Amino acid sequence: MAPTMAVSSTDSFDITDFVINKGNGVKGLSDLGIKSLPSQYIQPQEALINIIPQQSIPVVDMSNWDNDPKVAESVCEAAEKFGFFQLVNHGVPLEVLDGVKDATHRFFGLPAEEKRKYTKELSSTNNVRFGTSFSPDAEKALEWKDYLSLFYVSEEKASALWPCACRDEVLEYMKRSQVLCTKLMTALMEKLNVKEIDKTKESLLMGSKRINLNYYPRCPNPQLTVGVGRHSDVSSLTFLLQDEIGGLYVRVNEGKGEEDGWVHVPPIEGSLVINVGDALQILSNGRYKSVEHCVIASGSKNRISIPIFVNPKPNDVIGPLPELINAGEKPKYKNILYSDYVKHFFRKAHDGKKTVAFAEISS
């Protein structure tokens, strides 16, 4: 058990050492019972968001996917207009979703010395990483989040290297979501007149996968910080499993002359939230849009979320698909090595959608 004591100030000890070096994470801070947010986590005013009530992203019911082409059309329309949508009746069993949520709580409930084995300094592999915030070395203000990031190479390597507290449930969740991923990607490609996902396309669209287990502990001053800062994902698609608490916000109407702001993505039991990432925006030559999103902190409950990032392979070159350019579209993005794009994303703090400018062709 973590120590519990009411701490009114954290000035008397080294936050970086406690949170990052000793592996306690922000969960460790929260478990101490701190009464005020350490200054390292206080975000500048511009990082906090303007929330638009009574709006949300589309919800698509997939129960009639095989018989009604309008279901696939709804997915493509949501990817073009919103970049975000929720799926219900998607075919991934509820017990699999519940299993991976339980496993996430189990991992973060481990003692700090157990989790610390998977930090950058101590992990036996780059494919398993326990950490906190997003990029502590690059951030002016830290994010109120801990995570375990697992890069999938093979079932054999995952079985050998991933933490046993969560390994089996995570693998089962990834396996059971693969059919859904292929369905969605096939529909999205057909809308772009890409008739077949051959081996090359499969690598480009979904050649590698990473899953994160995210933990957002209760926060003493949630209005002063963020769980995750505003950003778009570098994936092709992201599949997000939320718990019942909520806190994910998506930016809408950016630059459209309408009210620019942020809408909540309400948790729906058994649903998955899907969003377009930068890689798919680039591959689709801007037809499908990656969208800024963020997570607010909670003052009352511990929250978890579990995204699967479906990505190109690191050594793939991404750029507008040949089918689009051959049809006469002018390319909006240059060809770029995907690993270079990802490195550019991770070497700076979260900064909205600025990463995608790295691939834009100057007009």
Side-chain angles (χ1 to χ4, degrees), residues 156-212:
E156 183 184 19
K157 287 202 171 180
S159 296
L161 298 169
W162 290 8
C164 59
C166 57
R167 175 189 60 218
D168 294 345
E169 292 83 358
V170 169
L171 279 171
E172 182 66 12
Y173 173 46
M174 293 186 82
K175 197 183 300 178
R176 298 300 287 266
S177 63
Q178 180 55 44
V179 174
L180 175 61
C181 178
T182 303
K183 276 184 182 177
L184 295 180
M185 205 64 89
T186 300
L188 291 165
M189 287 300 105
E190 282 179 355
K191 188 69 189 282
L192 301 179
N193 293 317
V194 175
K195 301 302 182 192
E196 182 197 0
I197 299 181
D198 58 18
K199 288 291 181 192
T200 304
K201 288 279 193 314
E202 187 177 348
S203 177
L204 262 179
L205 295 165
M206 43 189 175
S208 70
K209 292 185 179 68
R210 178 184 294 278
I211 186 166
N212 275 19

Side-chain angles (χ1 to χ4, degrees), residues 95 97-107 165 169 304 306:
E95 59 267 24
L97 304 182
D98 287 343
V100 77
K101 286 192 277 192
D102 289 345
T104 300
H105 282 290
R106 193 159 56 244
F107 174 80
E169 292 83 358
I304 60 165
I306 306 155

